[in-house]
Amino acid sequence: MNYARFLTATSTARKPSAIRVWTEILNRAPKSVISLATGSPNPNTFPFKTAVITTKHGQTIQFDEEIMKRALQYSQSAGIPELLSWLKQLQVKLHNPPTVHYPSSQGQMDICVTAGSQDGLCKVFEMIINHGDNILLNEPVYSGTLQALLPLGCNIINVPSDGYGIIPDSLKEVLSRWKPEDSKDPQKNTPKFLYTVPNGNNPTGNSLTSSRKKEIYELARKYDFLIIEDDPYYFLQFNKPWIPTFLSMDSDGRVIRADSFSKVLSSGLRIGFITGPKPLIERIVLHTQVSTLHTSTFTQLLVSQLLHQWGEEGFLAHVDMVIDFYRNQKDALLAAADKWLSGLAEWHAPTAGMFLWVKVKGINDVKKLIEEKAIKREILMVPGSDFYVDSSVPSPFFRASFSLASPEQMDVAFQRLAQLIKESL
């Protein structure tokens, strides 16, 4: 893989921050070393001394005075070592990427911790996208992704999808305007990457099948583009076995995968991780060195201690419990939809995630219904137009989340919505 051709001039120009390098040397140094190098503040001046965090199962995570001093201090930009090593083992267990033992220059799997996966994805986009570059994605798409991409001035090419995600034949048709060898000519402007949320796509709730992923990966090889696998709902798949990931079939080192703990541990702790070929992960870390410096040391230590207490089996047992909760929530929302919206709307049961994508019959654009009338009836949903590049195009769809409301509240919400739809027809 020629990774240099994917990088922007800005990313290519990034060099290690000297102060960050010295901080990392200090973090690895024995206690006997006398440091007059870094500008790390003296932790004895901080007001926090100790902490004990109790988990739901009665276990405790203890920060004594020494650990607290470390938790409140600067740390490595890629992530603290013990968390990184745990995450690497998890990725090998879950995905077993072919690139694990590749030479570093040839796309060896690497990983870095980011302040939530959105932070990592923004850095990935800024690493790759020049103004005018072509990129591929499938609408409807998470609005946060759109607002990260649009200011970068790229040409967003939509690849049609259905209830099983991106349609490989449609991707072939989109790519047919180029020849495979055009990727070697910068003037041809072949697509740099395909971005997709493969499991429980936000907002549609659908998931890419394994066979489709294999076809898409082969097209990526043929036309030499990267795949950005944004998978925040990987741990919220309702059916087992879980669908194999793009990372698990990445024999070339062309997949950049974004994972998140937001849905299973905490959204407020802001811990995500990016897995991908070492030459590209290194570029993300260089960006982190001059932006956030690193993800919060405190939250990294908290999560790391929890994961080490649990072990991989304990973590996956917790994930199963979370899945059970959201499966019940999904079933409750589907029951409410069947009860109140039958004949008024249509939908498909989501395979993962926390959203139901609903098409209202007989109303070309539900924007006013959702943004004005529904709010007056004290029900909140998101109009479908928010998930498209051109949000001004009328959409009969809306997105309903089943993460927070109780089954009783879901029932009331759809009862009110059904009345509104009838009044609007």
Side-chain angles (χ1 to χ4, degrees):
M1 292 280 296
N2 174 20
Y3 294 111
R5 82 170 192 86
F6 293 103
L7 300 177
T8 62
T10 301
S11 185
T12 301
R14 293 193 188 281
K15 298 285 186 282
S17 165
I19 298 302
R20 288 271 76 210
V21 172
W22 280 109
T23 298
E24 297 192 10
I25 290 171
L26 176 61
N27 281 327
R28 294 195 303 267
K31 290 190 184 296
S32 57
V33 167
I34 301 168
S35 173
L36 305 179
T38 70
S40 300
N42 193 308
N44 292 320
T45 65
F46 298 154
F48 308 102
K49 192 173 181 181
T50 62
V52 177
I53 295 104
T54 306
T55 69
K56 283 184 175 177
H57 304 296
Q59 297 167 303
T60 59
I61 295 165
Q62 300 195 24
F63 283 15
D64 61 22
E65 288 188 40
E66 280 307 303
I67 294 174
M68 183 62 89
K69 285 178 182 178
R70 184 184 170 205
L72 299 175
Q73 192 56 275
Y74 293 126
S75 59
Q76 296 91 330
S77 291
I80 62 171
E82 61 266 47
L83 180 57
L84 280 175
S85 63
W86 200 96
L87 293 175
K88 282 181 180 176
Q89 288 173 9
L90 181 71
Q91 296 300 66
V92 171
K93 177 184 175 71
L94 295 177
H95 313 290
N96 196 24
T99 54
V100 170
H101 300 297
Y102 283 21
S104 59
S105 62
Q106 293 177 25
Q108 180 187 67
M109 185 198 94
D110 201 6
I111 194 164
C112 66
V113 178
T114 54
S117 61
Q118 182 91 5
D119 170 51
L121 286 165
C122 282
K123 287 167 179 167
V124 169
F125 296 150
E126 291 182 29
M127 170 177 71
I128 298 172
I129 296 173
N130 290 302
H131 191 90
D133 280 348
N134 289 319
I135 65 116
L136 307 165
L137 54 71
N138 55 305
E139 292 181 297
V141 66
Y142 170 54
S143 57
T145 297
L146 289 176
Q147 298 316 315
L149 290 172
L150 290 170
L152 299 176
C154 54
N155 303 317
I156 299 174
I157 302 171
N158 177 46
V159 183
S161 56
D162 59 18
Y164 302 99
I166 290 170
I167 304 167
D169 284 344
S170 298
L171 178 57
K172 279 181 199 170
E173 191 176 327
V174 168
L175 292 168
S176 67
R177 70 184 77 172
W178 295 278
K179 297 172 183 173
E181 58 268 25
D182 286 348
S183 64
K184 295 179 173 60
D185 181 358
Q187 299 302 314
K188 299 292 187 181
N189 199 13
T190 58
K192 275 192 163 177
F193 65 76
L194 168 71
Y195 167 91
T196 191
V197 178
N199 291 300
N201 180 40
N202 179 1
T204 63
N206 59 35
S207 299
L208 259 174
T209 63
S210 180
S211 60
R212 286 192 178 188
K213 283 181 182 173
K214 288 173 184 172
E215 286 188 71
I216 292 166
Y217 188 83
E218 287 308 310
L219 288 168
R221 299 186 80 183
K222 184 176 180 180
Y223 289 90
D224 195 24
F225 56 83
L226 302 172
I227 295 173
I228 298 179
E229 182 175 35
D230 181 11
D231 212 354
Y233 306 104
Y234 177 76
F235 295 118
L236 292 187
Q237 296 182 69
F238 300 128
N239 303 310
K240 286 189 176 180
W242 291 345
I243 301 168
T245 59
F246 281 114
L247 185 65
S248 71
M249 55 186 75
D250 186 23
S251 54
D252 291 346
R254 66 174 65 251
V255 173
I256 302 172
R257 177 178 171 82
D259 279 285
S260 174
F261 282 140
S262 290
K263 313 301 183 285
V264 292
L265 294 185
S266 160
S267 50
L269 288 178
R270 306 310 301 139
I271 294 219
F273 48 109
I274 305 291
T275 308
K278 193 175 183 68
L280 297 181
I281 297 297
E282 286 174 343
R283 296 284 113 194
I284 298 168
V285 174
L286 291 179
H287 190 166
T288 299
Q289 286 184 357
V290 294
S291 57
T292 53
L293 299 189
H294 56 80
T295 303
S296 162
T297 317
F298 188 100
T299 59
Q300 286 190 78
L301 277 168
L302 177 62
V303 167
S304 180
Q305 286 206 23
L306 178 67
L307 294 175
H308 279 91
Q309 266 191 24
W310 276 350
E312 287 174 0
E313 286 188 14
F315 169 69
L316 293 173
H318 171 75
V319 166
D320 284 341
M321 183 189 73
V322 174
I323 291 170
D324 286 344
F325 171 82
Y326 284 109
R327 185 187 291 110
N328 291 334
Q329 291 287 99
K330 172 206 59 163
D331 291 345
L333 191 66
L334 288 172
D338 286 336
K339 181 177 177 182
W340 298 110
L341 301 181
S342 291
L344 300 173
E346 55 190 44
W347 57 89
H348 296 285
T351 54
M354 47 179 63
F355 304 111
L356 184 66
W357 187 237
V358 181
K359 182 181 181 181
V360 178
K361 295 178 179 179
I363 301 178
N364 183 47
D365 190 12
V366 300
K367 190 174 179 68
K368 188 174 182 181
L369 175 75
I370 298 300
E371 288 189 345
E372 296 177 22
K373 296 179 181 179
I375 289 175
K376 287 178 182 175
R377 298 281 178 94
E378 297 188 324
I379 46 174
L380 296 181
M381 289 151 295
V382 183
S385 55
D386 286 356
F387 302 96
Y388 289 86
V389 174
D390 184 356
S391 60
S392 66
V393 175
S395 172
F397 289 92
F398 69 88
R399 189 195 78 178
S401 168
F402 48 82
S403 61
L404 290 177
S406 68
E408 294 76 22
Q409 289 173 321
M410 294 178 200
D411 188 77
V412 169
F414 275 0
Q415 181 183 16
R416 291 177 186 172
L417 178 63
Q419 187 60 40
L420 276 177
I421 294 171
K422 290 172 185 174
E423 292 169 7
S424 301
L425 287 172

PDB file of all heavy atoms in Angstrom, residues 304-325:
ATOM      1  N   SER A 304      -9.380   1.444  32.085  1.00  0.00           N
ATOM      2  CA  SER A 304      -8.366   0.389  32.057  1.00  0.00           C
ATOM      3  C   SER A 304      -8.463  -0.509  33.287  1.00  0.00           C
ATOM      4  O   SER A 304      -8.409  -1.743  33.177  1.00  0.00           O
ATOM      5  CB  SER A 304      -6.968   1.010  31.966  1.00  0.00           C
ATOM      6  OG  SER A 304      -5.978   0.007  31.947  1.00  0.00           O
ATOM      7  N   GLN A 305      -8.611   0.101  34.454  1.00  0.00           N
ATOM      8  CA  GLN A 305      -8.728  -0.708  35.678  1.00  0.00           C
ATOM      9  C   GLN A 305      -9.975  -1.583  35.640  1.00  0.00           C
ATOM     10  O   GLN A 305      -9.944  -2.754  36.046  1.00  0.00           O
ATOM     11  CB  GLN A 305      -8.743   0.202  36.909  1.00  0.00           C
ATOM     12  CG  GLN A 305      -7.374   0.788  37.248  1.00  0.00           C
ATOM     13  CD  GLN A 305      -7.238   1.128  38.731  1.00  0.00           C
ATOM     14  OE1 GLN A 305      -7.935   0.572  39.574  1.00  0.00           O
ATOM     15  NE2 GLN A 305      -6.327   2.039  39.046  1.00  0.00           N
ATOM     16  N   LEU A 306     -11.087  -1.025  35.139  1.00  0.00           N
ATOM     17  CA  LEU A 306     -12.318  -1.802  35.035  1.00  0.00           C
ATOM     18  C   LEU A 306     -12.122  -2.992  34.094  1.00  0.00           C
ATOM     19  O   LEU A 306     -12.488  -4.129  34.418  1.00  0.00           O
ATOM     20  CB  LEU A 306     -13.447  -0.911  34.528  1.00  0.00           C
ATOM     21  CG  LEU A 306     -14.801  -1.602  34.317  1.00  0.00           C
ATOM     22  CD1 LEU A 306     -15.387  -2.053  35.651  1.00  0.00           C
ATOM     23  CD2 LEU A 306     -15.773  -0.681  33.574  1.00  0.00           C
ATOM     24  N   LEU A 307     -11.541  -2.742  32.935  1.00  0.00           N
ATOM     25  CA  LEU A 307     -11.356  -3.799  31.942  1.00  0.00           C
ATOM     26  C   LEU A 307     -10.394  -4.872  32.440  1.00  0.00           C
ATOM     27  O   LEU A 307     -10.591  -6.063  32.184  1.00  0.00           O
ATOM     28  CB  LEU A 307     -10.866  -3.205  30.615  1.00  0.00           C
ATOM     29  CG  LEU A 307     -11.864  -2.280  29.902  1.00  0.00           C
ATOM     30  CD1 LEU A 307     -11.213  -1.652  28.670  1.00  0.00           C
ATOM     31  CD2 LEU A 307     -13.137  -3.022  29.522  1.00  0.00           C
ATOM     32  N   HIS A 308      -9.357  -4.461  33.140  1.00  0.00           N
ATOM     33  CA  HIS A 308      -8.421  -5.453  33.695  1.00  0.00           C
ATOM     34  C   HIS A 308      -9.074  -6.266  34.808  1.00  0.00           C
ATOM     35  O   HIS A 308      -8.779  -7.456  34.967  1.00  0.00           O
ATOM     36  CB  HIS A 308      -7.136  -4.770  34.184  1.00  0.00           C
ATOM     37  CG  HIS A 308      -6.155  -4.469  33.089  1.00  0.00           C
ATOM     38  ND1 HIS A 308      -6.151  -3.275  32.412  1.00  0.00           N
ATOM     39  CD2 HIS A 308      -5.165  -5.222  32.530  1.00  0.00           C
ATOM     40  CE1 HIS A 308      -5.189  -3.294  31.492  1.00  0.00           C
ATOM     41  NE2 HIS A 308      -4.583  -4.453  31.542  1.00  0.00           N
ATOM     42  N   GLN A 309      -9.942  -5.629  35.596  1.00  0.00           N
ATOM     43  CA  GLN A 309     -10.699  -6.371  36.617  1.00  0.00           C
ATOM     44  C   GLN A 309     -11.599  -7.413  35.967  1.00  0.00           C
ATOM     45  O   GLN A 309     -11.660  -8.566  36.377  1.00  0.00           O
ATOM     46  CB  GLN A 309     -11.571  -5.404  37.432  1.00  0.00           C
ATOM     47  CG  GLN A 309     -10.944  -4.895  38.707  1.00  0.00           C
ATOM     48  CD  GLN A 309     -11.972  -4.161  39.578  1.00  0.00           C
ATOM     49  OE1 GLN A 309     -13.178  -4.389  39.492  1.00  0.00           O
ATOM     50  NE2 GLN A 309     -11.483  -3.271  40.434  1.00  0.00           N
ATOM     51  N   TRP A 310     -12.312  -6.996  34.938  1.00  0.00           N
ATOM     52  CA  TRP A 310     -13.269  -7.863  34.264  1.00  0.00           C
ATOM     53  C   TRP A 310     -12.595  -8.966  33.450  1.00  0.00           C
ATOM     54  O   TRP A 310     -13.058 -10.100  33.417  1.00  0.00           O
ATOM     55  CB  TRP A 310     -14.138  -7.048  33.307  1.00  0.00           C
ATOM     56  CG  TRP A 310     -15.316  -6.379  33.944  1.00  0.00           C
ATOM     57  CD1 TRP A 310     -15.802  -6.566  35.209  1.00  0.00           C
ATOM     58  CD2 TRP A 310     -16.172  -5.404  33.329  1.00  0.00           C
ATOM     59  NE1 TRP A 310     -16.904  -5.775  35.417  1.00  0.00           N
ATOM     60  CE2 TRP A 310     -17.162  -5.054  34.280  1.00  0.00           C
ATOM     61  CE3 TRP A 310     -16.202  -4.806  32.078  1.00  0.00           C
ATOM     62  CZ2 TRP A 310     -18.159  -4.122  34.009  1.00  0.00           C
ATOM     63  CZ3 TRP A 310     -17.198  -3.877  31.798  1.00  0.00           C
ATOM     64  CH2 TRP A 310     -18.162  -3.544  32.755  1.00  0.00           C
ATOM     65  N   GLY A 311     -11.515  -8.584  32.745  1.00  0.00           N
ATOM     66  CA  GLY A 311     -10.959  -9.477  31.734  1.00  0.00           C
ATOM     67  C   GLY A 311     -11.866  -9.454  30.506  1.00  0.00           C
ATOM     68  O   GLY A 311     -12.969  -8.885  30.532  1.00  0.00           O
ATOM     69  N   GLU A 312     -11.420 -10.077  29.427  1.00  0.00           N
ATOM     70  CA  GLU A 312     -12.213 -10.060  28.191  1.00  0.00           C
ATOM     71  C   GLU A 312     -13.578 -10.725  28.380  1.00  0.00           C
ATOM     72  O   GLU A 312     -14.600 -10.226  27.901  1.00  0.00           O
ATOM     73  CB  GLU A 312     -11.446 -10.758  27.063  1.00  0.00           C
ATOM     74  CG  GLU A 312     -10.274  -9.928  26.543  1.00  0.00           C
ATOM     75  CD  GLU A 312      -9.430 -10.680  25.537  1.00  0.00           C
ATOM     76  OE1 GLU A 312      -9.741 -11.853  25.227  1.00  0.00           O
ATOM     77  OE2 GLU A 312      -8.434 -10.101  25.061  1.00  0.00           O
ATOM     78  N   GLU A 313     -13.599 -11.848  29.117  1.00  0.00           N
ATOM     79  CA  GLU A 313     -14.874 -12.550  29.333  1.00  0.00           C
ATOM     80  C   GLU A 313     -15.852 -11.693  30.124  1.00  0.00           C
ATOM     81  O   GLU A 313     -17.049 -11.655  29.827  1.00  0.00           O
ATOM     82  CB  GLU A 313     -14.632 -13.893  30.038  1.00  0.00           C
ATOM     83  CG  GLU A 313     -14.033 -14.954  29.128  1.00  0.00           C
ATOM     84  CD  GLU A 313     -13.982 -16.325  29.792  1.00  0.00           C
ATOM     85  OE1 GLU A 313     -14.646 -16.512  30.831  1.00  0.00           O
ATOM     86  OE2 GLU A 313     -13.278 -17.200  29.258  1.00  0.00           O
ATOM     87  N   GLY A 314     -15.347 -11.012  31.147  1.00  0.00           N
ATOM     88  CA  GLY A 314     -16.206 -10.147  31.952  1.00  0.00           C
ATOM     89  C   GLY A 314     -16.746  -8.977  31.148  1.00  0.00           C
ATOM     90  O   GLY A 314     -17.916  -8.602  31.276  1.00  0.00           O
ATOM     91  N   PHE A 315     -15.888  -8.395  30.298  1.00  0.00           N
ATOM     92  CA  PHE A 315     -16.333  -7.290  29.445  1.00  0.00           C
ATOM     93  C   PHE A 315     -17.429  -7.753  28.491  1.00  0.00           C
ATOM     94  O   PHE A 315     -18.468  -7.103  28.357  1.00  0.00           O
ATOM     95  CB  PHE A 315     -15.153  -6.716  28.662  1.00  0.00           C
ATOM     96  CG  PHE A 315     -15.559  -5.764  27.571  1.00  0.00           C
ATOM     97  CD1 PHE A 315     -16.100  -4.519  27.873  1.00  0.00           C
ATOM     98  CD2 PHE A 315     -15.427  -6.121  26.227  1.00  0.00           C
ATOM     99  CE1 PHE A 315     -16.501  -3.645  26.867  1.00  0.00           C
ATOM    100  CE2 PHE A 315     -15.813  -5.254  25.218  1.00  0.00           C
ATOM    101  CZ  PHE A 315     -16.352  -4.008  25.541  1.00  0.00           C
ATOM    102  N   LEU A 316     -17.215  -8.903  27.848  1.00  0.00           N
ATOM    103  CA  LEU A 316     -18.193  -9.401  26.882  1.00  0.00           C
ATOM    104  C   LEU A 316     -19.485  -9.845  27.567  1.00  0.00           C
ATOM    105  O   LEU A 316     -20.573  -9.752  26.982  1.00  0.00           O
ATOM    106  CB  LEU A 316     -17.588 -10.530  26.050  1.00  0.00           C
ATOM    107  CG  LEU A 316     -16.450 -10.076  25.117  1.00  0.00           C
ATOM    108  CD1 LEU A 316     -15.783 -11.277  24.459  1.00  0.00           C
ATOM    109  CD2 LEU A 316     -16.956  -9.095  24.064  1.00  0.00           C
ATOM    110  N   ALA A 317     -19.389 -10.296  28.828  1.00  0.00           N
ATOM    111  CA  ALA A 317     -20.601 -10.620  29.601  1.00  0.00           C
ATOM    112  C   ALA A 317     -21.399  -9.343  29.872  1.00  0.00           C
ATOM    113  O   ALA A 317     -22.641  -9.333  29.789  1.00  0.00           O
ATOM    114  CB  ALA A 317     -20.224 -11.298  30.910  1.00  0.00           C
ATOM    115  N   HIS A 318     -20.686  -8.244  30.181  1.00  0.00           N
ATOM    116  CA  HIS A 318     -21.352  -6.956  30.369  1.00  0.00           C
ATOM    117  C   HIS A 318     -22.011  -6.510  29.064  1.00  0.00           C
ATOM    118  O   HIS A 318     -23.158  -6.024  29.059  1.00  0.00           O
ATOM    119  CB  HIS A 318     -20.336  -5.908  30.830  1.00  0.00           C
ATOM    120  CG  HIS A 318     -20.876  -4.510  30.837  1.00  0.00           C
ATOM    121  ND1 HIS A 318     -21.748  -4.045  31.800  1.00  0.00           N
ATOM    122  CD2 HIS A 318     -20.699  -3.482  29.962  1.00  0.00           C
ATOM    123  CE1 HIS A 318     -22.073  -2.793  31.535  1.00  0.00           C
ATOM    124  NE2 HIS A 318     -21.458  -2.434  30.416  1.00  0.00           N
ATOM    125  N   VAL A 319     -21.303  -6.689  27.937  1.00  0.00           N
ATOM    126  CA  VAL A 319     -21.859  -6.329  26.632  1.00  0.00           C
ATOM    127  C   VAL A 319     -23.153  -7.097  26.373  1.00  0.00           C
ATOM    128  O   VAL A 319     -24.145  -6.534  25.902  1.00  0.00           O
ATOM    129  CB  VAL A 319     -20.819  -6.591  25.515  1.00  0.00           C
ATOM    130  CG1 VAL A 319     -21.474  -6.553  24.132  1.00  0.00           C
ATOM    131  CG2 VAL A 319     -19.689  -5.565  25.594  1.00  0.00           C
ATOM    132  N   ASP A 320     -23.166  -8.394  26.700  1.00  0.00           N
ATOM    133  CA  ASP A 320     -24.375  -9.207  26.507  1.00  0.00           C
ATOM    134  C   ASP A 320     -25.550  -8.654  27.311  1.00  0.00           C
ATOM    135  O   ASP A 320     -26.695  -8.652  26.843  1.00  0.00           O
ATOM    136  CB  ASP A 320     -24.117 -10.656  26.896  1.00  0.00           C
ATOM    137  CG  ASP A 320     -23.305 -11.415  25.850  1.00  0.00           C
ATOM    138  OD1 ASP A 320     -23.251 -10.952  24.695  1.00  0.00           O
ATOM    139  OD2 ASP A 320     -22.723 -12.471  26.201  1.00  0.00           O
ATOM    140  N   MET A 321     -25.260  -8.178  28.513  1.00  0.00           N
ATOM    141  CA  MET A 321     -26.305  -7.595  29.352  1.00  0.00           C
ATOM    142  C   MET A 321     -26.848  -6.309  28.724  1.00  0.00           C
ATOM    143  O   MET A 321     -28.061  -6.062  28.715  1.00  0.00           O
ATOM    144  CB  MET A 321     -25.735  -7.297  30.746  1.00  0.00           C
ATOM    145  CG  MET A 321     -26.749  -6.752  31.742  1.00  0.00           C
ATOM    146  SD  MET A 321     -25.940  -6.194  33.256  1.00  0.00           S
ATOM    147  CE  MET A 321     -25.139  -4.688  32.684  1.00  0.00           C
ATOM    148  N   VAL A 322     -25.941  -5.504  28.172  1.00  0.00           N
ATOM    149  CA  VAL A 322     -26.352  -4.268  27.504  1.00  0.00           C
ATOM    150  C   VAL A 322     -27.212  -4.587  26.279  1.00  0.00           C
ATOM    151  O   VAL A 322     -28.242  -3.949  26.039  1.00  0.00           O
ATOM    152  CB  VAL A 322     -25.109  -3.433  27.104  1.00  0.00           C
ATOM    153  CG1 VAL A 322     -25.522  -2.215  26.284  1.00  0.00           C
ATOM    154  CG2 VAL A 322     -24.339  -2.986  28.341  1.00  0.00           C
ATOM    155  N   ILE A 323     -26.788  -5.601  25.513  1.00  0.00           N
ATOM    156  CA  ILE A 323     -27.560  -6.009  24.328  1.00  0.00           C
ATOM    157  C   ILE A 323     -28.967  -6.448  24.737  1.00  0.00           C
ATOM    158  O   ILE A 323     -29.954  -6.087  24.082  1.00  0.00           O
ATOM    159  CB  ILE A 323     -26.838  -7.141  23.568  1.00  0.00           C
ATOM    160  CG1 ILE A 323     -25.557  -6.619  22.915  1.00  0.00           C
ATOM    161  CG2 ILE A 323     -27.753  -7.753  22.507  1.00  0.00           C
ATOM    162  CD1 ILE A 323     -24.662  -7.703  22.340  1.00  0.00           C
ATOM    163  N   ASP A 324     -29.067  -7.233  25.802  1.00  0.00           N
ATOM    164  CA  ASP A 324     -30.378  -7.686  26.272  1.00  0.00           C
ATOM    165  C   ASP A 324     -31.288  -6.500  26.581  1.00  0.00           C
ATOM    166  O   ASP A 324     -32.482  -6.502  26.249  1.00  0.00           O
ATOM    167  CB  ASP A 324     -30.232  -8.566  27.515  1.00  0.00           C
ATOM    168  CG  ASP A 324     -29.699  -9.955  27.199  1.00  0.00           C
ATOM    169  OD1 ASP A 324     -29.736 -10.346  26.008  1.00  0.00           O
ATOM    170  OD2 ASP A 324     -29.228 -10.629  28.128  1.00  0.00           O
ATOM    171  N   PHE A 325     -30.712  -5.474  27.221  1.00  0.00           N
ATOM    172  CA  PHE A 325     -31.499  -4.285  27.550  1.00  0.00           C
ATOM    173  C   PHE A 325     -32.033  -3.630  26.280  1.00  0.00           C
ATOM    174  O   PHE A 325     -33.237  -3.337  26.169  1.00  0.00           O
ATOM    175  CB  PHE A 325     -30.654  -3.286  28.348  1.00  0.00           C
ATOM    176  CG  PHE A 325     -31.331  -1.952  28.542  1.00  0.00           C
ATOM    177  CD1 PHE A 325     -32.274  -1.772  29.545  1.00  0.00           C
ATOM    178  CD2 PHE A 325     -31.049  -0.884  27.689  1.00  0.00           C
ATOM    179  CE1 PHE A 325     -32.917  -0.553  29.707  1.00  0.00           C
ATOM    180  CE2 PHE A 325     -31.691   0.340  27.840  1.00  0.00           C
ATOM    181  CZ  PHE A 325     -32.628   0.504  28.856  1.00  0.00           C
TER     182      PHE A 325
END
